[in-house]
Amino acid sequence: MSTSTLTETPAGLRLRRRLLRGLPWLVVRQHRTALACILGLTVLGALWIVYQRHELVQLLDAAGWPEKEVRHAVDDTRGYGYTTALLGGLPLLLALFIGAPLIAGDRENGTVQLVTTQSVTRRQWLIAKLGLAYTLALVSGLVLSAVFTWWWEPHRSFFLSQWIEGPVFDNTGPVLPAMLLFMTAAGITIGTLVRRVLPAMVVTFLFTVMAGFVWDEFRVLLGSTRMFTYPLDTELPARFAESYEVDRWVGNANGELFGWGTCAEATEKAQNACMKEHGIINSVIEYIDYDQMAAMQWTAAGILLAGTAILTAFVLWRVSRRPL
């Protein structure tokens, strides 16, 4: 019998060892459950969105769209509800189950002391941990954002959610990957400061919820509002169908603006007298046009990525300066 069979290494095993060895292999193995869950959600979510788009395309083709007008609301379907729930909850999942325990778990269990005494420096350990978390967030965000944009972009007229609202704005283009990176970095930072897994997860949950409320208010500030004046009691031109209305007034020929309810009197006679007194002849809207969406999204992504860089730098400084 030849002894070569005892010493030869299967090609698949050699390839696996080349792809993942040492500290990266240890980090992946340590977080393999959370890693498998997030990647599984990403794959299933992407397949679900592809299926939903296929269903919509079939429905529209059968109805003769775009040659014929079709009335359909994607937001009313159960599939859309599942999709937005997944995409809206993913930042929280990454922050809670990847970010918060990443450093805090090793400190609480003493794993970091063991690893850093095995010819691995503290910085190498930290880079390996951050690399895994950020790669997972980036890959998941890019995949889901790409397929959701592919579903929404050509069929946006069938979505009731406006382009500036969270279900669309935060889940298309570069915003979702940047959001996942930032929330993951926030979870890591909180875990680094708190040093215990369960308290870190609680604080991360509260931070994520509060950040969501702040972000909803901040999103509109990313755009530059414009004004449009048109005659009172006439329809707003169709070209504003995709514009987001920030506020609305009534105005006179001199350009003075009054609140929409300024002449909301009890009788028509009193209302007409009020309008005559103020010279109100126009409706005025303040709006953000759809053509600003791309610039607003890249601005939002830039802010989130800057926040991620700041938090990462703080974690690197904190871990390198403080005892483990």
Side-chain angles (χ1 to χ4, degrees):
M1 180 182 293
S2 173
T3 59
S4 62
T5 57
L6 300 177
T7 58
E8 287 179 354
T9 304
L13 186 57
R14 288 200 303 269
L15 179 60
R16 199 183 319 167
R17 286 177 178 173
R18 290 191 192 117
L19 290 175
L20 222 57
R21 292 183 300 178
L23 190 57
W25 175 86
L26 177 63
V27 171
V28 170
R29 182 171 177 80
Q30 183 183 13
H31 300 281
R32 61 187 180 277
T33 302
L35 182 67
C37 290
I38 297 299
L39 288 178
L41 277 176
T42 300
V43 173
L44 291 176
L47 292 175
W48 177 253
I49 294 172
V50 170
Y51 172 75
Q52 291 301 312
R53 186 186 189 277
H54 174 71
E55 288 283 294
L56 178 61
V57 169
Q58 281 195 324
L59 185 151
L60 295 178
D61 286 346
W65 184 82
E67 287 77 15
K68 296 181 180 179
E69 182 179 354
V70 178
R71 293 178 178 269
H72 180 71
V74 174
D75 298 41
D76 292 338
T77 63
R78 187 176 299 178
Y80 178 80
Y82 291 153
T83 302
T84 53
L86 169 63
L87 297 179
L90 196 57
L92 176 62
L93 291 177
L94 279 165
L96 275 181
F97 298 106
I98 298 295
L102 194 74
I103 307 299
D106 281 6
R107 283 178 158 178
E108 186 174 352
N109 299 327
T111 306
V112 59
Q113 287 87 350
L114 176 63
V115 171
T116 52
T117 57
Q118 305 296 319
S119 69
V120 174
T121 67
R122 188 183 301 192
R123 186 173 294 274
Q124 288 175 321
W125 163 77
L126 188 57
I127 289 174
K129 302 282 280 189
L130 294 177
L132 170 70
Y134 289 162
T135 300
L136 180 61
L138 185 61
V139 169
S140 181
L142 288 174
V143 170
L144 291 174
S145 174
V147 292
F148 187 76
T149 303
W150 178 60
W151 180 25
W152 173 80
E153 179 78 34
H155 309 107
R156 60 182 182 271
S157 60
F158 300 102
F159 287 76
L160 299 179
S161 300
Q162 290 189 281
W163 60 268
I164 201 171
E165 295 175 355
V168 175
F169 188 92
D170 294 345
N171 297 323
T172 56
V175 180
L176 182 59
M179 180 69 74
L180 294 183
L181 286 169
F182 175 77
M183 287 302 180
T184 303
I188 294 171
T189 304
I190 293 170
T192 301
L193 294 173
V194 177
R195 301 171 67 95
R196 297 287 182 179
V197 174
L198 187 58
M201 293 178 74
V202 172
V203 176
T204 299
F205 175 80
L206 296 175
F207 171 82
T208 305
V209 172
M210 292 176 59
F213 286 120
V214 173
W215 185 254
D216 286 339
E217 298 297 325
F218 176 74
R219 193 185 299 113
V220 179
L221 301 179
L222 297 170
S224 300
T225 59
R226 303 167 183 171
M227 308 289 287
F228 178 74
T229 301
Y230 60 103
L232 198 65
D233 297 328
T234 61
E235 293 291 334
L236 187 66
R239 65 187 178 91
F240 292 97
E242 291 188 305
S243 299
Y244 174 74
E245 185 177 307
V246 178
D247 208 342
R248 178 181 287 265
W249 296 275
V250 289
N252 57 27
N254 298 324
E256 293 180 285
L257 300 179
F258 306 92
W260 184 253
T262 299
C263 292
E265 303 292 344
T267 64
E268 184 176 354
K269 182 178 180 180
Q271 181 177 347
N272 291 335
C274 174
M275 294 177 63
K276 184 176 181 180
E277 178 185 354
H278 293 93
I280 295 174
I281 57 173
N282 294 320
S283 292
V284 182
I285 63 166
E286 181 181 8
Y287 68 98
I288 301 176
D289 210 357
Y290 170 70
D291 62 12
Q292 298 185 56
M293 181 180 181
M296 291 172 63
Q297 284 190 314
W298 282 108
T299 302
I303 293 171
L304 292 170
L305 291 175
T308 302
I310 292 171
L311 292 176
T312 303
F314 173 78
V315 169
L316 288 168
W317 172 82
R318 177 86 177 184
V319 173
S320 63
R321 294 298 184 93
R322 295 300 181 94
L324 298 174

